[in-house]
Amino acid sequence: MKIDLFENKWLDIVFEGRNKSYGAYDLRKKNTSTNIRAFIIGAVIFAFAVATPMLMELIPDSSDEDTTLNDKIVTVKLPPKEEKPKENIPPPPPPPPKVDQVKFVKPVVAKTNEVTEEPPKVEEIKDKNLGKEDIKGDPNADLVLTPPGDGPKQAEVTEDNTIYNSAGIEVKPEFPGGIQKWYSFLKNNFQAPDEPGLKGKVIVSFVVEKDGSLTDIKVLRDIGFGTGKEAERVLKKGPRWTPAEQNGKKVRCSFIQTFSVETPEE
């Protein structure tokens, strides 16, 4: 007969003819269920021990919640409430004068029944000041003297640097000796280039300053061969002019001069 040690049949054979109510028989008979129960309990305890760290991570930390709440609390200091200035507040009344002031009533020619207010008598205004109303003076008041003013200020005179056109000026600028002297000066000093058959006109503009000097010389038209430079040289060489005048004052004035150039042909 083959005996399976994993079954409880061998217990009957071992304890045959013996007292089965003894504790050893009962313990060995329940050994399988006891082992299974112990295995299950051990497995549960092992699983709980392994899962404990994961369970601890799932449980929120109270300190973290407190930190989060504290981070969200921000103290805000409100600016002080601005007080609006009071409007329409009359200025404080001036202190009483040292001498009594009597209201001055302008004399008006009217009928007797139309007179509403009579002017003060001579006795009433003796040793008193005249003003817009009656004010009782204070003999103990401090005598206040108003500092003298600077008087009316004179308007600042700005220099007129406008450049006027000679066509509309009251008094035009003039070369010393007149216009004929000016033409003679140009003819005697302008040197035409050595270019046979050259013919044309050179136009130059300039400004006659308040002191008669010529400035801002510009060649508006040039026929070449150095004629423009020669015109500038002649103008810079000339004497001072008599300046232009506008409203009785010397002013700057623009002027345009034409040089006619013509050289003989070979």
Side-chain angles (χ1 to χ4, degrees):
M1 181 179 178
K2 188 177 180 179
I3 298 173
D4 190 359
L5 297 177
F6 294 96
E7 294 182 359
N8 294 331
K9 293 181 179 181
W10 64 274
L11 292 175
D12 297 331
I13 298 173
V14 173
F15 286 90
E16 186 177 358
R18 296 184 180 183
N19 185 13
K20 293 183 178 181
S21 60
Y22 187 70
Y25 176 81
D26 186 63
L27 289 174
R28 287 175 173 78
K29 191 174 183 179
K30 296 179 179 179
N31 188 31
T32 301
S33 60
T34 302
N35 291 337
I36 294 173
R37 189 183 298 109
F39 177 79
I40 294 173
I41 294 174
V44 170
I45 294 174
F46 178 79
F48 181 79
V50 172
T52 298
M54 299 177 63
L55 294 175
M56 293 297 293
E57 291 180 0
L58 296 176
I59 298 174
D61 192 359
S62 60
S63 61
D64 293 339
E65 292 181 0
D66 295 339
T67 303
T68 304
L69 292 176
N70 291 335
D71 291 342
K72 293 181 180 180
I73 299 174
V74 180
T75 303
V76 179
K77 186 176 181 181
L78 298 176
K81 187 177 180 182
E82 296 182 358
E83 296 183 0
K84 295 183 177 179
K86 298 181 180 180
E87 300 179 353
N88 300 327
I89 299 178
K98 192 174 184 66
V99 181
D100 294 346
Q101 178 176 297
V102 179
K103 181 179 179 181
F104 173 74
V105 179
K106 184 178 181 180
V108 179
V109 179
K111 296 181 180 179
T112 305
N113 57 354
E114 295 179 355
V115 175
T116 57
E117 191 173 6
E118 295 183 356
K121 298 179 181 180
V122 178
E123 292 80 5
E124 296 178 354
I125 62 175
K126 186 178 181 181
D127 299 331
K128 295 180 176 63
N129 297 329
L130 296 179
K132 296 182 180 180
E133 58 183 354
D134 294 335
I135 300 177
K136 184 66 176 176
D138 184 5
N140 298 323
D142 297 332
L143 183 61
V144 179
L145 298 178
T146 303
D150 298 333
K153 295 183 179 180
Q154 297 181 354
E156 296 182 359
V157 180
T158 57
E159 187 177 0
D160 185 8
N161 289 321
T162 305
I163 299 177
Y164 292 85
N165 194 308
S166 59
I169 199 71
E170 292 180 355
V171 180
K172 296 183 179 182
E174 187 178 14
F175 184 81
I179 190 68
Q180 295 300 327
K181 290 285 186 180
W182 168 243
Y183 291 152
S184 299
F185 172 80
L186 296 179
K187 183 178 180 181
N188 296 332
N189 289 275
F190 186 86
Q191 297 179 2
D194 188 11
E195 182 66 25
L198 180 63
K199 185 177 181 180
K201 293 182 179 181
V202 179
I203 303 176
V204 182
S205 68
F206 56 91
V207 175
V208 181
E209 297 291 343
K210 298 177 184 179
D211 60 354
S213 61
L214 305 186
T215 61
D216 199 19
I217 300 173
K218 296 179 180 178
V219 178
L220 304 180
R221 181 180 178 183
D222 192 353
I223 60 175
F225 303 98
T227 54
K229 293 293 183 181
E230 178 63 14
E232 289 185 31
R233 184 191 68 81
V234 174
L235 293 178
K236 293 178 180 179
K237 180 182 177 181
R240 291 178 182 268
W241 289 41
T242 301
E245 292 186 9
Q246 184 75 12
N247 298 325
K249 295 182 180 180
K250 296 179 180 181
V251 294
R252 305 173 69 194
C253 183
S254 62
F255 201 92
I256 296 178
Q257 181 61 49
T258 302
F259 293 81
S260 297
V261 181
E262 186 175 357
T263 59
E265 297 182 358
E266 290 183 352

PDB file of all heavy atoms in Angstrom, residues 28-62:
ATOM      1  N   ARG A  28      -1.373  17.490  14.093  1.00  0.00           N
ATOM      2  CA  ARG A  28      -0.926  17.018  12.798  1.00  0.00           C
ATOM      3  C   ARG A  28      -2.076  16.921  11.811  1.00  0.00           C
ATOM      4  O   ARG A  28      -1.902  17.129  10.612  1.00  0.00           O
ATOM      5  CB  ARG A  28      -0.242  15.667  12.953  1.00  0.00           C
ATOM      6  CG  ARG A  28       1.137  15.792  13.592  1.00  0.00           C
ATOM      7  CD  ARG A  28       1.758  14.432  13.846  1.00  0.00           C
ATOM      8  NE  ARG A  28       3.138  14.537  14.316  1.00  0.00           N
ATOM      9  CZ  ARG A  28       3.498  14.854  15.550  1.00  0.00           C
ATOM     10  NH1 ARG A  28       2.531  15.118  16.461  1.00  0.00           N
ATOM     11  NH2 ARG A  28       4.765  14.938  15.887  1.00  0.00           N
ATOM     12  N   LYS A  29      -3.267  16.627  12.290  1.00  0.00           N
ATOM     13  CA  LYS A  29      -4.414  16.540  11.408  1.00  0.00           C
ATOM     14  C   LYS A  29      -4.805  17.921  10.847  1.00  0.00           C
ATOM     15  O   LYS A  29      -5.233  18.042   9.701  1.00  0.00           O
ATOM     16  CB  LYS A  29      -5.583  15.886  12.167  1.00  0.00           C
ATOM     17  CG  LYS A  29      -6.732  15.512  11.252  1.00  0.00           C
ATOM     18  CD  LYS A  29      -7.792  14.745  12.031  1.00  0.00           C
ATOM     19  CE  LYS A  29      -8.900  14.320  11.059  1.00  0.00           C
ATOM     20  NZ  LYS A  29      -9.948  13.541  11.755  1.00  0.00           N
ATOM     21  N   LYS A  30      -4.629  18.938  11.672  1.00  0.00           N
ATOM     22  CA  LYS A  30      -4.957  20.302  11.231  1.00  0.00           C
ATOM     23  C   LYS A  30      -3.756  21.027  10.642  1.00  0.00           C
ATOM     24  O   LYS A  30      -3.781  22.243  10.412  1.00  0.00           O
ATOM     25  CB  LYS A  30      -5.482  21.104  12.416  1.00  0.00           C
ATOM     26  CG  LYS A  30      -6.779  20.565  12.977  1.00  0.00           C
ATOM     27  CD  LYS A  30      -7.227  21.409  14.158  1.00  0.00           C
ATOM     28  CE  LYS A  30      -8.547  20.895  14.732  1.00  0.00           C
ATOM     29  NZ  LYS A  30      -8.979  21.688  15.900  1.00  0.00           N
ATOM     30  N   ASN A  31      -2.673  20.329  10.394  1.00  0.00           N
ATOM     31  CA  ASN A  31      -1.425  20.960   9.935  1.00  0.00           C
ATOM     32  C   ASN A  31      -1.611  21.625   8.571  1.00  0.00           C
ATOM     33  O   ASN A  31      -1.109  22.718   8.308  1.00  0.00           O
ATOM     34  CB  ASN A  31      -0.320  19.905   9.890  1.00  0.00           C
ATOM     35  CG  ASN A  31       1.039  20.547   9.608  1.00  0.00           C
ATOM     36  OD1 ASN A  31       1.277  21.687  10.001  1.00  0.00           O
ATOM     37  ND2 ASN A  31       1.925  19.817   8.947  1.00  0.00           N
ATOM     38  N   THR A  32      -2.338  20.953   7.652  1.00  0.00           N
ATOM     39  CA  THR A  32      -2.502  21.511   6.292  1.00  0.00           C
ATOM     40  C   THR A  32      -3.258  22.828   6.321  1.00  0.00           C
ATOM     41  O   THR A  32      -2.850  23.843   5.712  1.00  0.00           O
ATOM     42  CB  THR A  32      -3.242  20.494   5.413  1.00  0.00           C
ATOM     43  OG1 THR A  32      -2.498  19.265   5.374  1.00  0.00           O
ATOM     44  CG2 THR A  32      -3.409  21.035   3.993  1.00  0.00           C
ATOM     45  N   SER A  33      -4.387  22.834   7.030  1.00  0.00           N
ATOM     46  CA  SER A  33      -5.170  24.089   7.089  1.00  0.00           C
ATOM     47  C   SER A  33      -4.401  25.186   7.827  1.00  0.00           C
ATOM     48  O   SER A  33      -4.478  26.377   7.470  1.00  0.00           O
ATOM     49  CB  SER A  33      -6.511  23.816   7.784  1.00  0.00           C
ATOM     50  OG  SER A  33      -6.288  23.337   9.103  1.00  0.00           O
ATOM     51  N   THR A  34      -3.618  24.724   8.821  1.00  0.00           N
ATOM     52  CA  THR A  34      -2.836  25.729   9.550  1.00  0.00           C
ATOM     53  C   THR A  34      -1.765  26.330   8.651  1.00  0.00           C
ATOM     54  O   THR A  34      -1.528  27.566   8.654  1.00  0.00           O
ATOM     55  CB  THR A  34      -2.171  25.081  10.783  1.00  0.00           C
ATOM     56  OG1 THR A  34      -3.190  24.518  11.621  1.00  0.00           O
ATOM     57  CG2 THR A  34      -1.374  26.102  11.574  1.00  0.00           C
ATOM     58  N   ASN A  35      -1.133  25.490   7.832  1.00  0.00           N
ATOM     59  CA  ASN A  35      -0.108  26.013   6.908  1.00  0.00           C
ATOM     60  C   ASN A  35      -0.711  26.976   5.880  1.00  0.00           C
ATOM     61  O   ASN A  35      -0.128  28.020   5.539  1.00  0.00           O
ATOM     62  CB  ASN A  35       0.590  24.856   6.207  1.00  0.00           C
ATOM     63  CG  ASN A  35       1.460  24.052   7.168  1.00  0.00           C
ATOM     64  OD1 ASN A  35       1.880  24.558   8.217  1.00  0.00           O
ATOM     65  ND2 ASN A  35       1.727  22.800   6.821  1.00  0.00           N
ATOM     66  N   ILE A  36      -1.903  26.589   5.354  1.00  0.00           N
ATOM     67  CA  ILE A  36      -2.556  27.460   4.362  1.00  0.00           C
ATOM     68  C   ILE A  36      -2.910  28.808   4.977  1.00  0.00           C
ATOM     69  O   ILE A  36      -2.701  29.871   4.388  1.00  0.00           O
ATOM     70  CB  ILE A  36      -3.786  26.761   3.785  1.00  0.00           C
ATOM     71  CG1 ILE A  36      -3.347  25.524   2.975  1.00  0.00           C
ATOM     72  CG2 ILE A  36      -4.593  27.706   2.914  1.00  0.00           C
ATOM     73  CD1 ILE A  36      -4.504  24.675   2.492  1.00  0.00           C
ATOM     74  N   ARG A  37      -3.478  28.769   6.192  1.00  0.00           N
ATOM     75  CA  ARG A  37      -3.843  30.008   6.879  1.00  0.00           C
ATOM     76  C   ARG A  37      -2.614  30.865   7.146  1.00  0.00           C
ATOM     77  O   ARG A  37      -2.621  32.089   6.964  1.00  0.00           O
ATOM     78  CB  ARG A  37      -4.572  29.653   8.181  1.00  0.00           C
ATOM     79  CG  ARG A  37      -5.177  30.909   8.853  1.00  0.00           C
ATOM     80  CD  ARG A  37      -5.850  30.568  10.189  1.00  0.00           C
ATOM     81  NE  ARG A  37      -6.968  29.639  10.005  1.00  0.00           N
ATOM     82  CZ  ARG A  37      -6.971  28.377  10.367  1.00  0.00           C
ATOM     83  NH1 ARG A  37      -5.888  27.863  10.950  1.00  0.00           N
ATOM     84  NH2 ARG A  37      -8.025  27.617  10.152  1.00  0.00           N
ATOM     85  N   ALA A  38      -1.520  30.201   7.576  1.00  0.00           N
ATOM     86  CA  ALA A  38      -0.286  30.944   7.858  1.00  0.00           C
ATOM     87  C   ALA A  38       0.284  31.557   6.582  1.00  0.00           C
ATOM     88  O   ALA A  38       0.797  32.694   6.563  1.00  0.00           O
ATOM     89  CB  ALA A  38       0.734  30.032   8.509  1.00  0.00           C
ATOM     90  N   PHE A  39       0.170  30.799   5.460  1.00  0.00           N
ATOM     91  CA  PHE A  39       0.682  31.323   4.186  1.00  0.00           C
ATOM     92  C   PHE A  39      -0.101  32.557   3.743  1.00  0.00           C
ATOM     93  O   PHE A  39       0.443  33.563   3.279  1.00  0.00           O
ATOM     94  CB  PHE A  39       0.605  30.222   3.123  1.00  0.00           C
ATOM     95  CG  PHE A  39       1.033  30.681   1.756  1.00  0.00           C
ATOM     96  CD1 PHE A  39       2.379  30.797   1.442  1.00  0.00           C
ATOM     97  CD2 PHE A  39       0.080  31.019   0.799  1.00  0.00           C
ATOM     98  CE1 PHE A  39       2.776  31.229   0.200  1.00  0.00           C
ATOM     99  CE2 PHE A  39       0.483  31.442  -0.440  1.00  0.00           C
ATOM    100  CZ  PHE A  39       1.820  31.559  -0.764  1.00  0.00           C
ATOM    101  N   ILE A  40      -1.438  32.465   3.902  1.00  0.00           N
ATOM    102  CA  ILE A  40      -2.280  33.610   3.501  1.00  0.00           C
ATOM    103  C   ILE A  40      -1.976  34.825   4.360  1.00  0.00           C
ATOM    104  O   ILE A  40      -1.829  35.956   3.860  1.00  0.00           O
ATOM    105  CB  ILE A  40      -3.763  33.211   3.580  1.00  0.00           C
ATOM    106  CG1 ILE A  40      -4.069  32.124   2.525  1.00  0.00           C
ATOM    107  CG2 ILE A  40      -4.647  34.428   3.371  1.00  0.00           C
ATOM    108  CD1 ILE A  40      -5.470  31.554   2.639  1.00  0.00           C
ATOM    109  N   ILE A  41      -1.891  34.618   5.671  1.00  0.00           N
ATOM    110  CA  ILE A  41      -1.598  35.746   6.572  1.00  0.00           C
ATOM    111  C   ILE A  41      -0.233  36.341   6.261  1.00  0.00           C
ATOM    112  O   ILE A  41      -0.041  37.552   6.203  1.00  0.00           O
ATOM    113  CB  ILE A  41      -1.689  35.281   8.038  1.00  0.00           C
ATOM    114  CG1 ILE A  41      -3.130  34.894   8.375  1.00  0.00           C
ATOM    115  CG2 ILE A  41      -1.201  36.382   8.972  1.00  0.00           C
ATOM    116  CD1 ILE A  41      -3.299  34.273   9.752  1.00  0.00           C
ATOM    117  N   GLY A  42       0.751  35.449   6.020  1.00  0.00           N
ATOM    118  CA  GLY A  42       2.097  35.952   5.686  1.00  0.00           C
ATOM    119  C   GLY A  42       2.101  36.732   4.378  1.00  0.00           C
ATOM    120  O   GLY A  42       2.779  37.760   4.239  1.00  0.00           O
ATOM    121  N   ALA A  43       1.317  36.191   3.399  1.00  0.00           N
ATOM    122  CA  ALA A  43       1.260  36.909   2.105  1.00  0.00           C
ATOM    123  C   ALA A  43       0.623  38.290   2.268  1.00  0.00           C
ATOM    124  O   ALA A  43       1.071  39.283   1.670  1.00  0.00           O
ATOM    125  CB  ALA A  43       0.494  36.071   1.087  1.00  0.00           C
ATOM    126  N   VAL A  44      -0.438  38.355   3.086  1.00  0.00           N
ATOM    127  CA  VAL A  44      -1.099  39.660   3.308  1.00  0.00           C
ATOM    128  C   VAL A  44      -0.146  40.641   3.990  1.00  0.00           C
ATOM    129  O   VAL A  44      -0.037  41.807   3.611  1.00  0.00           O
ATOM    130  CB  VAL A  44      -2.386  39.458   4.123  1.00  0.00           C
ATOM    131  CG1 VAL A  44      -2.952  40.787   4.566  1.00  0.00           C
ATOM    132  CG2 VAL A  44      -3.417  38.685   3.311  1.00  0.00           C
ATOM    133  N   ILE A  45       0.578  40.156   5.015  1.00  0.00           N
ATOM    134  CA  ILE A  45       1.504  41.031   5.726  1.00  0.00           C
ATOM    135  C   ILE A  45       2.625  41.503   4.801  1.00  0.00           C
ATOM    136  O   ILE A  45       3.037  42.671   4.800  1.00  0.00           O
ATOM    137  CB  ILE A  45       2.074  40.303   6.969  1.00  0.00           C
ATOM    138  CG1 ILE A  45       0.949  40.049   7.985  1.00  0.00           C
ATOM    139  CG2 ILE A  45       3.190  41.126   7.614  1.00  0.00           C
ATOM    140  CD1 ILE A  45       1.383  39.197   9.176  1.00  0.00           C
ATOM    141  N   PHE A  46       3.117  40.595   3.969  1.00  0.00           N
ATOM    142  CA  PHE A  46       4.200  40.964   3.039  1.00  0.00           C
ATOM    143  C   PHE A  46       3.726  42.002   2.019  1.00  0.00           C
ATOM    144  O   PHE A  46       4.418  42.981   1.709  1.00  0.00           O
ATOM    145  CB  PHE A  46       4.692  39.696   2.333  1.00  0.00           C
ATOM    146  CG  PHE A  46       5.772  39.957   1.324  1.00  0.00           C
ATOM    147  CD1 PHE A  46       7.090  40.161   1.729  1.00  0.00           C
ATOM    148  CD2 PHE A  46       5.469  40.040  -0.041  1.00  0.00           C
ATOM    149  CE1 PHE A  46       8.083  40.410   0.807  1.00  0.00           C
ATOM    150  CE2 PHE A  46       6.455  40.297  -0.954  1.00  0.00           C
ATOM    151  CZ  PHE A  46       7.776  40.496  -0.545  1.00  0.00           C
ATOM    152  N   ALA A  47       2.496  41.731   1.490  1.00  0.00           N
ATOM    153  CA  ALA A  47       1.948  42.696   0.515  1.00  0.00           C
ATOM    154  C   ALA A  47       1.738  44.060   1.159  1.00  0.00           C
ATOM    155  O   ALA A  47       1.994  45.120   0.552  1.00  0.00           O
ATOM    156  CB  ALA A  47       0.643  42.159  -0.065  1.00  0.00           C
ATOM    157  N   PHE A  48       1.259  44.119   2.383  1.00  0.00           N
ATOM    158  CA  PHE A  48       1.040  45.385   3.072  1.00  0.00           C
ATOM    159  C   PHE A  48       2.360  46.110   3.315  1.00  0.00           C
ATOM    160  O   PHE A  48       2.467  47.329   3.167  1.00  0.00           O
ATOM    161  CB  PHE A  48       0.319  45.125   4.400  1.00  0.00           C
ATOM    162  CG  PHE A  48       0.023  46.387   5.165  1.00  0.00           C
ATOM    163  CD1 PHE A  48      -1.037  47.185   4.825  1.00  0.00           C
ATOM    164  CD2 PHE A  48       0.836  46.759   6.239  1.00  0.00           C
ATOM    165  CE1 PHE A  48      -1.307  48.337   5.515  1.00  0.00           C
ATOM    166  CE2 PHE A  48       0.569  47.908   6.934  1.00  0.00           C
ATOM    167  CZ  PHE A  48      -0.497  48.713   6.582  1.00  0.00           C
ATOM    168  N   ALA A  49       3.419  45.332   3.665  1.00  0.00           N
ATOM    169  CA  ALA A  49       4.728  45.945   3.911  1.00  0.00           C
ATOM    170  C   ALA A  49       5.298  46.538   2.631  1.00  0.00           C
ATOM    171  O   ALA A  49       5.930  47.599   2.632  1.00  0.00           O
ATOM    172  CB  ALA A  49       5.679  44.903   4.502  1.00  0.00           C
ATOM    173  N   VAL A  50       5.095  45.794   1.521  1.00  0.00           N
ATOM    174  CA  VAL A  50       5.608  46.310   0.242  1.00  0.00           C
ATOM    175  C   VAL A  50       4.825  47.538  -0.202  1.00  0.00           C
ATOM    176  O   VAL A  50       5.381  48.494  -0.759  1.00  0.00           O
ATOM    177  CB  VAL A  50       5.536  45.182  -0.825  1.00  0.00           C
ATOM    178  CG1 VAL A  50       5.875  45.737  -2.214  1.00  0.00           C
ATOM    179  CG2 VAL A  50       6.477  44.053  -0.463  1.00  0.00           C
ATOM    180  N   ALA A  51       3.518  47.558   0.023  1.00  0.00           N
ATOM    181  CA  ALA A  51       2.681  48.672  -0.449  1.00  0.00           C
ATOM    182  C   ALA A  51       2.684  49.875   0.475  1.00  0.00           C
ATOM    183  O   ALA A  51       2.120  50.919   0.132  1.00  0.00           O
ATOM    184  CB  ALA A  51       1.236  48.168  -0.644  1.00  0.00           C
ATOM    185  N   THR A  52       3.303  49.745   1.670  1.00  0.00           N
ATOM    186  CA  THR A  52       3.284  50.870   2.624  1.00  0.00           C
ATOM    187  C   THR A  52       3.928  52.147   2.059  1.00  0.00           C
ATOM    188  O   THR A  52       3.370  53.244   2.180  1.00  0.00           O
ATOM    189  CB  THR A  52       3.971  50.456   3.929  1.00  0.00           C
ATOM    190  OG1 THR A  52       3.235  49.367   4.521  1.00  0.00           O
ATOM    191  CG2 THR A  52       4.028  51.617   4.904  1.00  0.00           C
ATOM    192  N   PRO A  53       5.122  52.126   1.420  1.00  0.00           N
ATOM    193  CA  PRO A  53       5.692  53.370   0.860  1.00  0.00           C
ATOM    194  C   PRO A  53       4.799  54.031  -0.180  1.00  0.00           C
ATOM    195  O   PRO A  53       4.677  55.250  -0.241  1.00  0.00           O
ATOM    196  CB  PRO A  53       7.018  52.905   0.246  1.00  0.00           C
ATOM    197  CG  PRO A  53       7.358  51.658   0.983  1.00  0.00           C
ATOM    198  CD  PRO A  53       6.056  50.984   1.266  1.00  0.00           C
ATOM    199  N   MET A  54       4.134  53.181  -1.025  1.00  0.00           N
ATOM    200  CA  MET A  54       3.242  53.757  -2.040  1.00  0.00           C
ATOM    201  C   MET A  54       2.037  54.417  -1.386  1.00  0.00           C
ATOM    202  O   MET A  54       1.590  55.491  -1.817  1.00  0.00           O
ATOM    203  CB  MET A  54       2.781  52.648  -3.001  1.00  0.00           C
ATOM    204  CG  MET A  54       3.937  51.989  -3.761  1.00  0.00           C
ATOM    205  SD  MET A  54       3.388  50.630  -4.825  1.00  0.00           S
ATOM    206  CE  MET A  54       2.340  51.534  -5.963  1.00  0.00           C
ATOM    207  N   LEU A  55       1.524  53.791  -0.324  1.00  0.00           N
ATOM    208  CA  LEU A  55       0.384  54.386   0.380  1.00  0.00           C
ATOM    209  C   LEU A  55       0.782  55.688   1.069  1.00  0.00           C
ATOM    210  O   LEU A  55      -0.001  56.650   1.116  1.00  0.00           O
ATOM    211  CB  LEU A  55      -0.167  53.383   1.408  1.00  0.00           C
ATOM    212  CG  LEU A  55      -0.789  52.103   0.825  1.00  0.00           C
ATOM    213  CD1 LEU A  55      -1.193  51.147   1.961  1.00  0.00           C
ATOM    214  CD2 LEU A  55      -2.003  52.448  -0.033  1.00  0.00           C
ATOM    215  N   MET A  56       2.023  55.766   1.573  1.00  0.00           N
ATOM    216  CA  MET A  56       2.467  56.988   2.234  1.00  0.00           C
ATOM    217  C   MET A  56       2.579  58.149   1.252  1.00  0.00           C
ATOM    218  O   MET A  56       2.346  59.313   1.591  1.00  0.00           O
ATOM    219  CB  MET A  56       3.826  56.747   2.909  1.00  0.00           C
ATOM    220  CG  MET A  56       3.757  55.776   4.087  1.00  0.00           C
ATOM    221  SD  MET A  56       2.728  56.402   5.426  1.00  0.00           S
ATOM    222  CE  MET A  56       3.726  57.791   5.960  1.00  0.00           C
ATOM    223  N   GLU A  57       2.958  57.870  -0.004  1.00  0.00           N
ATOM    224  CA  GLU A  57       3.050  58.932  -1.009  1.00  0.00           C
ATOM    225  C   GLU A  57       1.677  59.455  -1.405  1.00  0.00           C
ATOM    226  O   GLU A  57       1.520  60.630  -1.757  1.00  0.00           O
ATOM    227  CB  GLU A  57       3.773  58.404  -2.259  1.00  0.00           C
ATOM    228  CG  GLU A  57       5.249  58.119  -2.016  1.00  0.00           C
ATOM    229  CD  GLU A  57       5.922  57.593  -3.266  1.00  0.00           C
ATOM    230  OE1 GLU A  57       5.223  57.466  -4.307  1.00  0.00           O
ATOM    231  OE2 GLU A  57       7.130  57.325  -3.197  1.00  0.00           O
ATOM    232  N   LEU A  58       0.657  58.529  -1.327  1.00  0.00           N
ATOM    233  CA  LEU A  58      -0.690  58.967  -1.704  1.00  0.00           C
ATOM    234  C   LEU A  58      -1.338  59.828  -0.644  1.00  0.00           C
ATOM    235  O   LEU A  58      -2.255  60.602  -0.934  1.00  0.00           O
ATOM    236  CB  LEU A  58      -1.571  57.735  -1.995  1.00  0.00           C
ATOM    237  CG  LEU A  58      -1.140  56.878  -3.197  1.00  0.00           C
ATOM    238  CD1 LEU A  58      -2.052  55.648  -3.307  1.00  0.00           C
ATOM    239  CD2 LEU A  58      -1.193  57.702  -4.477  1.00  0.00           C
ATOM    240  N   ILE A  59      -0.894  59.677   0.604  1.00  0.00           N
ATOM    241  CA  ILE A  59      -1.481  60.464   1.688  1.00  0.00           C
ATOM    242  C   ILE A  59      -0.888  61.873   1.643  1.00  0.00           C
ATOM    243  O   ILE A  59       0.321  62.044   1.703  1.00  0.00           O
ATOM    244  CB  ILE A  59      -1.211  59.803   3.053  1.00  0.00           C
ATOM    245  CG1 ILE A  59      -1.855  58.414   3.097  1.00  0.00           C
ATOM    246  CG2 ILE A  59      -1.738  60.683   4.189  1.00  0.00           C
ATOM    247  CD1 ILE A  59      -1.516  57.633   4.363  1.00  0.00           C
ATOM    248  N   PRO A  60      -1.699  62.919   1.489  1.00  0.00           N
ATOM    249  CA  PRO A  60      -1.160  64.308   1.450  1.00  0.00           C
ATOM    250  C   PRO A  60      -0.557  64.707   2.776  1.00  0.00           C
ATOM    251  O   PRO A  60      -1.076  64.391   3.840  1.00  0.00           O
ATOM    252  CB  PRO A  60      -2.397  65.153   1.104  1.00  0.00           C
ATOM    253  CG  PRO A  60      -3.558  64.342   1.564  1.00  0.00           C
ATOM    254  CD  PRO A  60      -3.170  62.899   1.380  1.00  0.00           C
ATOM    255  N   ASP A  61       0.561  65.453   2.653  1.00  0.00           N
ATOM    256  CA  ASP A  61       1.248  65.927   3.851  1.00  0.00           C
ATOM    257  C   ASP A  61       0.594  67.219   4.332  1.00  0.00           C
ATOM    258  O   ASP A  61       0.402  68.163   3.555  1.00  0.00           O
ATOM    259  CB  ASP A  61       2.724  66.175   3.538  1.00  0.00           C
ATOM    260  CG  ASP A  61       3.529  66.387   4.794  1.00  0.00           C
ATOM    261  OD1 ASP A  61       2.926  66.356   5.896  1.00  0.00           O
ATOM    262  OD2 ASP A  61       4.753  66.577   4.684  1.00  0.00           O
ATOM    263  N   SER A  62       0.257  67.262   5.589  1.00  0.00           N
ATOM    264  CA  SER A  62      -0.407  68.453   6.142  1.00  0.00           C
ATOM    265  C   SER A  62       0.501  69.667   6.102  1.00  0.00           C
ATOM    266  O   SER A  62       0.061  70.801   5.945  1.00  0.00           O
ATOM    267  CB  SER A  62      -0.864  68.172   7.577  1.00  0.00           C
ATOM    268  OG  SER A  62       0.263  67.848   8.390  1.00  0.00           O
TER     269      SER A  62
END
